[in-house]
Amino acid sequence: MIRTAVFGGSFNPVHYGHINLAKEILRQDLADEVWLMVSPRNPLKQQADLLDEQTRLRLARLALADVPGVFASDDEFSLPRPSYTWKTLDALRGKYPDRAFFLVIGGDNWQLFPRWARADYIIANYPIIVYPRPGYDLDEQSLPPSVRVLRSVPLFPYSSTEVRAALRSGADVSAMVPPEIEKAIKLEKLYGL
Ligand code: ATP
């Protein structure tokens, strides 16, 4: 079975936090591949400023073109909306029988996890790796056995919100997104530029 990490999100836009996190998962040999699962719409997020899913997917693919083992997937685009992770994981399992899927989420999302649809079902059926994120404390006392919090990994102080804010204010985004992403965003005048 190909160990496939599903790393879901809006990727609005993709940034070095996403990319380096995925690389670290591979570097630690926790997965054979990491799939950035671009979500058409997150049931827990506001819609303002959200680029359409095809554009977010295209930017993610551009950013990952030279990153072996990390791919951006559009598998959620053909599923009913809004996208619920338990449904996505079940659909992936049905569609790719040669792969063992598990979930990778950032520490902010683990804090929100009890609000996810069928959180207990996900925990019972899919291993979860939680990647720490600056500013989000993780309580490791009460973790279910299938949930693992990574420790001693590099932390990435970036968010898509900060990227969008920096773009709007004309600030330098080169530390947060790859040059080709910055170029594409400016060329296509995305995010109201
Ligand atoms: P936004 O700022 O728009 O809310 P975001 O930067 O949190 O976006 P998402 O696309 O929502 O990015 O995140 C996708 C996944 O990546 C989530 O599981 C999130 O927890 C995780 N993630 C994003 N940025 C980081 C980071 N800097 N460190 C660790 N995990 C991260």
Side-chain angles (χ1 to χ4, degrees), residues 123-146:
I123 288 173
N125 287 280
Y126 299 93
I128 302 177
I129 288 180
V130 181
Y131 200 103
R133 185 169 187 172
Y136 298 90
D137 284 339
L138 296 167
D139 175 10
E140 281 183 67
Q141 301 300 312
S142 50
L143 288 182
S146 60

Side-chain angles (χ1 to χ4, degrees), residues 7-13 15 17-18 21 42 45 104-110 116 131-134 155-162 164:
F7 183 37
S10 302
F11 304 104
N12 183 40
H15 55 67
H18 302 128
L21 183 159
N42 176 336
K45 273 195 184 178
V104 174
I105 62 176
D108 55 315
N109 260 320
W110 179 245
W116 285 27
Y131 200 103
R133 185 169 187 172
L155 297 181
F156 310 114
Y158 320 113
S159 71
S160 298
T161 303
E162 285 169 85
R164 295 192 302 272

